[in-house]
Amino acid sequence: EPAPEGAMAGTGVLLTKEPAPQAVPPSDLPMKVYEVAANTGPHSSSGLATAGFRTAKYLPAEWYQSSAALHHKAFAGCEQAEQGRAEAKELAEHAAAAAQRAQQASTAALGQRLKDIHFWKARLQKEIEDLDAETGLLAAQKLRLERALDATEVPYVIATDNLQCRERRQPPDLVRDEVEKELLKEAELIRSVQELLKRTLMQAVNQMGLNRDHKEVCEKDWSDKVKTYSVDDQCGRYSNQSTNIHFHPSSVQVEESASTPETWAKFSHDNIYRAEREKLASINLRALIDNILHDVSEDMRRQCDVVKEALAKRCEELDDAKHKLEFHLRNILKEIGDKEASIAALNQAIKDKEGPMKVAQTRLYERAFRPNVELCRDEAQFRLMSEAKELPESIESLKKKLLESEESLRNLGDTRMDLEKEIAVKTNSIFIDRQKCLAPRAHYPRVFQLAGYQ
């Protein structure tokens, strides 16, 4: 009996004051077993008078035992409930701290992701701007190529027209001289330059197309990153107090087609690498175009100067030949005049011999009528006979000389015609080379025009 009282006293203290938390978890105390002595003695009250009351009653020991068990159960329940509250509070605090740490880690990861996106977005934007600027510079070079190609038309027309005009030279001036060789070389050079410019122009057009294609790829990648940056920035701004947050259970699943950070970075890196490669190719092509335009303009202008020099030299040769021919023509004309005067003198001399011939023959005829012995072969007769013989011989020699002079005059006339014809040929050649060939070359484009500058 003292034990239950102590237990009740102890229970009263615990019930009026909140128990201190225990380090050892509470557990049910072992049930205390009471043995009741059986009433079998001679003085036992097992009679009929107490039979009904005996069956409905507990023993005092049982009552104390029941009270102790109830006190123990209440004490253990309080301890268990207090421990549960402490564990629940600790678990709630731990869950709140874990959720806060997870949210902070996610926010930090979103922030780092924003930095990565901004890094690639900035590189893509710079690459897009560089490609756009490079395409503009290449377009300017393409325009230079087109202008240079247009500028070659005039030199080609001039060269071919010079060749066609020189075909109208007359023999013997229709020769394959140095001028014609240089003109053929110039025409071939211009055709080669035109083919080179056309091929280079096609390369520039293709390169501009590649630049635009890679620019579009970078622009699409940049646009996706701008949108992704906006999404991640908005996600980073969400907090527990945000009003536009909702439950999305299905969003926890990972997409099968989602990229990894490595493939994500490699995709942008490859786009930038390809764009850089095309930009470098475009820069090299622009430098090549500069060199080509510089070289072809210098070559064409140098060949034009060579042709002009050859034409000027040829014109000087023709002028010199014409002057010599004119000098000979003047001499021939003078000689023809002298020869005609000589022929006239010969004719007059022959005519003048008619009188002496008549006189001599008349004298001989008259003396033939001398009578008898007077028909003497005297000195006068011999002299008359000698004169009559000498005069025909003299006339014959004069006629022979006259024929020679007339032949010489005819030869001089033929030479005169040849000289005049040759002078006409030289005049025609000089007109063609100087007026039809040299004069149009004043319209030959200058070097900066052949280089594509307007």
Side-chain angles (χ1 to χ4, degrees), residues 212-382:
R212 292 192 180 98
D213 291 342
H214 285 81
K215 178 190 171 188
E216 289 178 1
V217 171
C218 290
E219 283 177 342
K220 187 176 184 304
D221 194 2
W222 178 84
S223 177
D224 292 343
K225 282 181 171 49
V226 169
K227 185 175 180 180
T228 303
Y229 188 91
S230 176
V231 171
D232 285 353
D233 183 60
Q234 181 62 36
C235 290
R237 296 177 187 276
Y238 283 134
S239 65
N240 297 332
Q241 289 75 32
S242 299
T243 58
N244 54 346
I245 55 177
H246 304 281
F247 289 107
H248 299 282
S250 62
S251 63
V252 180
Q253 298 178 356
V254 179
E255 295 290 338
E256 293 294 334
S257 60
S259 62
T260 63
E262 291 78 13
T263 58
W264 174 81
K266 186 177 184 301
F267 179 76
S268 296
H269 176 271
D270 291 345
N271 288 338
I272 293 173
Y273 173 76
R274 287 190 290 267
E276 283 284 342
R277 184 178 59 190
E278 295 304 329
K279 184 176 72 173
L280 182 61
S282 181
I283 292 172
N284 293 335
L285 181 58
R286 283 196 296 110
L288 177 64
I289 291 172
D290 275 333
N291 294 333
I292 288 175
L293 290 175
H294 177 269
D295 292 343
V296 299
S297 61
E298 292 290 338
D299 291 344
M300 288 179 62
R301 194 66 211 186
R302 189 182 303 113
Q303 184 61 29
C304 175
D305 294 338
V306 170
V307 172
K308 286 177 66 176
E309 184 179 353
L311 277 169
K313 183 178 179 181
R314 184 60 177 169
C315 288
E316 290 179 1
E317 292 175 354
L318 290 171
D319 284 334
D320 183 63
K322 181 185 174 186
H323 292 155
K324 289 180 179 178
L325 290 171
E326 288 174 345
F327 172 76
H328 290 304
L329 179 61
R330 287 193 298 269
N331 291 337
I332 289 293
L333 290 175
K334 181 178 179 300
E335 190 63 31
I336 287 174
D338 294 341
K339 186 62 71 174
E340 288 176 347
S342 175
I343 290 173
L346 286 172
N347 284 324
Q348 186 63 40
I350 292 172
K351 187 175 181 181
D352 291 343
K353 293 297 184 290
E354 292 178 356
M357 178 68 72
K358 289 178 182 180
V359 171
Q361 290 180 358
T362 301
R363 285 175 176 176
L364 286 173
Y365 178 77
E366 292 291 335
R367 294 193 80 202
F369 290 100
R370 288 176 299 167
N372 299 318
V373 76
E374 294 300 326
L375 188 64
C376 179
R377 290 181 291 191
D378 54 7
E379 185 65 26
Q381 184 67 21
F382 286 117

Side-chain angles (χ1 to χ4, degrees), residues 171-187:
D173 282 2
L174 189 60
V175 295
R176 185 178 175 85
D177 54 4
E178 191 66 25
V179 176
E180 185 167 350
K181 292 179 182 178
E182 295 299 334
L183 280 173
L184 290 172
K185 189 185 298 183
E186 182 182 40

Side-chain angles (χ1 to χ4, degrees), residues 384-443:
L384 284 172
M385 291 177 64
S386 176
E387 180 183 7
K389 290 180 180 180
E390 288 177 359
L391 283 173
E393 291 177 357
S394 177
I395 291 172
E396 194 63 31
S397 63
L398 287 173
K399 287 183 177 181
K400 184 178 180 181
K401 189 55 132 179
L402 178 61
L403 291 175
E404 292 178 357
S405 297
E406 288 176 347
E407 181 67 22
S408 177
L409 181 61
R410 285 193 296 271
N411 291 336
L412 288 173
D414 293 340
T415 304
R416 172 193 172 185
M417 291 180 62
D418 292 341
L419 288 173
E420 289 177 345
K421 183 179 178 181
E422 188 66 20
I423 289 172
V425 170
K426 294 293 184 290
T427 302
N428 179 65
S429 299
I430 291 172
F431 175 77
I432 289 174
D433 284 351
R434 184 164 289 156
Q435 301 300 325
K436 295 295 185 181
C437 295
L438 267 178
R441 290 192 166 267
H443 303 289

